[in-house]
């Protein structure tokens, strides 16, 4: 727990007092953390459940294992989100009670109400802080970085806990019928503590947020008859199961993901090589590899950990961020591009000067 920290908000948030003027300073990432469920599901485990093979999965996706919640033991999105945020607070050496705002980027909140973020805040003892969920599928954490940055630059929030957490195993069919999606997704949570700083050079240099809702049918989870794209009949067997046009999303990602990187570099007036690290949504190793090659980047400039976690949706970017910070490969002074793409369809970036 930190005391007398100049970046600390008053308990209950900066918004509890008089509204300060917009700051001249910037925003920095002061700590990160991750949490994944204990239970691992390897490709060999999946071979026993469905007609698939380790070789097929590794070749097509780069995935070797994923972590999945044991829901019967109370694990769920908010429990792993809270664990990740607690770890990030420890890393930043701050008391969770001093957070102004808790944002949880997720598409697998426990229920429509309350927001998972409120339960995360309660679990950490930050009951007075603002808390809400941000739903942008695989882009959730990246859009969350831009959202938090904008709120903090208003001067009214000085310390924000941002989490990306998803538990898509809840929406999987681990039988032959679900094999094209069940191999791809895993559960996890990653978090970052964003703090206001007097240094105006720190924070977002450029960003992009886009969507094409007309293509939602490429990746969706129907809840009832209203949840289907045009031309698809309601089928009870599809309810609460991820529906994905794998090849359609693959083609979208291979084109759009590098395009949005190029667009962001252009906005910032930077070349691809000026960015120290690309922290990208982990959807498929082949998609990441294609983007890296398009920009002529060395392997160590675009991080890949999909082999150990699979596609964890909103958690994939902060899982990478935490591992990179812990290894000293992302640190103060670096330029880091965060990139998301996926369901919605959505795609976007957040380019930071750390
Ligand atoms: O984060 C959200 C964004 N999501 C993505 O970015 C996902 C993008 N898409 C993908 O990563 C790929 O489309 C997949 C990995 C999901 C699938 O790979 P694919 O190369 O597109 O395979 P496919 O769906 O075209 O299927 C090829 C063959 C089919 O058999 P036939 O028709 O050629 O005989 C499938 O039935 O592979 C078969 N197949 C499997 N075989 C073994 C499908 N799933 C499996 C499986 N194991 N799990």
């Amino acid at each position: 727990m930190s005391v007398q920290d100049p970046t600390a908000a008053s308990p209950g948030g900066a918004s509890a007092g008089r509204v300060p003027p917009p700051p001249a300073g910037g925003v920095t990432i002061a700590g990160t953390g991750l949490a994944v469920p204990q239970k691992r599901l390897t490709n060999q485990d999946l071979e026993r459940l469905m007609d698939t093979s380790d070789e097929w999965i590794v070749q097509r996706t780069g995935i070797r294992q994923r972590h999945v919640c044991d829901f019967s033991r109370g694990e769920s999105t908010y429990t792993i989100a809270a664990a990740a945020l607690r770890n990030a607070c420890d890393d930043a050496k701050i008391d969770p009670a001093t957070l102004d705002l808790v944002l949880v980027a997720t598409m697998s909140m426990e229920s429509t109400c309350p927001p998972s973020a409120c339960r995360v805040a309660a679990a950490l003892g930050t009951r007075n802080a603002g808390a809400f969920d941000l739903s942008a599928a695989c882009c959730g954490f990246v859009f969350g970085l831009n959202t938090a940055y904008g709120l903090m630059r208003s001067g009214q929030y000085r310390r924000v806990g941002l989490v990306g957490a998803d538990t898509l195993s809840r929406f999987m069919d681990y039988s032959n019928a679900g094999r094209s999606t069940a191999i791809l997704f895993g559960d996890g949570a990653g978090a970052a503590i964003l703090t206001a700083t007097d240094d105006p050079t720190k924070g977002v240099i450029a960003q992009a947020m886009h969507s094409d809702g007309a293509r939602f049918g490429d990746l969706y989870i129907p809840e009832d008859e209203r949840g289907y794209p045009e031309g698809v009949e309601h089928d009870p067997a599809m309810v609460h199961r991820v529906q994905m046009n794998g090849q359609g999303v693959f083609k979208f990602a291979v084109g759009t993901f590098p395009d949005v990187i190029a667009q962001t570099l252009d906005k910032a007036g930077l070349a691809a090589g000026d960015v120290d690290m690309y922290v990208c949504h982990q959807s498929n190793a082949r998609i990441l590899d294609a983007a890296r090659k398009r920009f002529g980047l060395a392997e160590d400039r675009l991080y890949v950990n999909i082999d150990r976690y699979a596609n964890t949706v909103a958690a994939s970017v902060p899982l990478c961020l935490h591992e990179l910070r812990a290894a000293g490969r992302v640190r103060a002074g670096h330029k880091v591009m965060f990139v998301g793409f996926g369901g919605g369809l959505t795609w976007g970036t957040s380019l930071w000067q750390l």
Side-chain angles (χ1 to χ4, degrees):
M1 184 189 302
S2 76
V3 212
Q4 304 293 325
D5 179 341
T7 68
S10 56
S15 54
R18 185 177 279 174
V19 176
V27 173
T28 192
I29 297 176
T32 53
L34 69 76
V36 291
Q38 211 177 3
K39 187 173 166 189
R40 279 185 322 142
L41 206 51
T42 63
N43 291 351
Q44 288 72 23
D45 293 328
L46 292 181
E47 282 175 351
R48 288 187 279 275
L49 296 170
M50 60 188 75
D51 183 13
T52 192
S53 68
D54 175 54
E55 190 191 4
W56 191 96
I57 299 170
V58 172
Q59 269 181 11
R60 302 276 173 143
T61 69
I63 298 165
R64 294 184 185 278
Q65 64 167 38
R66 67 285 296 139
H67 292 256
V68 293
C69 282
D70 185 343
F71 297 101
S72 69
R73 300 183 69 165
E75 277 184 329
S76 73
T77 299
Y78 98 86
T79 66
I80 57 173
L85 185 55
R86 190 173 285 116
N87 292 338
C89 287
D90 288 348
D91 185 40
K93 299 184 175 51
I94 63 153
D95 178 354
T98 65
L99 291 171
D100 293 326
L101 200 57
V102 174
L103 300 186
V104 176
T106 185
M107 60 181 257
S108 48
M109 51 286 279
E110 281 71 23
S111 46
T112 316
C113 185
S116 293
C118 295
R119 298 179 76 180
V120 170
L124 266 67
T126 60
R127 285 191 183 83
N128 222 10
F132 62 90
D133 293 349
L134 194 154
S135 170
C138 310
C139 283
F141 188 83
V142 176
F143 285 15
L145 283 170
N146 294 335
T147 304
Y149 179 76
L151 289 168
M152 293 178 79
R153 294 290 292 126
S154 77
Q156 298 195 45
Y157 303 90
R158 294 186 61 77
R159 195 173 260 183
V160 176
L162 173 64
V163 191
D166 268 302
T167 55
L168 255 66
S169 65
R170 190 152 63 90
F171 303 104
M172 292 299 143
D173 173 0
Y174 292 103
S175 75
N176 280 346
R179 68 176 182 167
S180 60
T181 50
I183 53 125
L184 199 62
F185 293 97
D187 300 343
I193 304 300
L194 309 178
T195 55
T197 163
D198 291 339
D199 183 346
T201 64
K202 309 271 188 195
V204 174
I205 306 169
Q207 59 168 286
M209 297 198 277
H210 299 287
S211 73
D212 181 2
R215 287 191 61 185
F216 88 85
D218 281 344
L219 183 49
Y220 66 107
I221 306 175
E223 286 188 9
D224 57 31
E225 24 311 274
R226 294 166 300 174
Y228 297 87
E230 216 175 300
V232 180
E233 291 287 309
H234 173 58
D235 175 357
M238 289 165 69
V239 169
H240 290 145
R241 293 279 174 260
V242 170
Q243 308 297 320
M244 186 174 74
N245 169 8
Q247 287 193 5
V249 180
F250 191 94
K251 281 184 198 142
F252 150 77
V254 163
T256 309
F257 161 45
D259 284 352
V260 78
I261 292 178
Q263 179 196 337
T264 310
L265 290 170
D266 202 39
K267 278 187 194 175
L270 295 173
D274 296 333
V275 174
D276 296 285
M277 188 64 74
Y278 290 82
V279 184
C280 305
H281 173 51
Q282 307 282 301
S283 66
N284 184 317
R286 288 187 291 150
I287 294 172
L288 296 169
D289 211 38
R292 186 179 61 72
K293 286 181 176 148
R294 173 166 151 186
F295 293 104
L297 296 167
E299 274 189 25
D300 62 357
R301 299 286 283 281
L302 194 154
Y303 191 59
V304 179
N305 65 9
I306 193 170
D307 52 322
R308 286 173 288 128
Y309 300 114
N311 179 344
T312 54
V313 193
S316 73
V317 168
L319 285 179
C320 291
L321 171 62
H322 177 71
E323 291 192 339
L324 285 163
R325 277 186 86 251
R329 291 176 59 189
V330 158
R331 53 186 182 272
H334 277 180
K335 288 184 176 59
V336 178
M337 172 107 64
F338 300 95
V339 193
F341 50 93
L345 298 176
T346 53
W347 62 102
T349 59
S350 191
L351 173 58
W352 282 66
Q353 175 65 60
L354 298 184

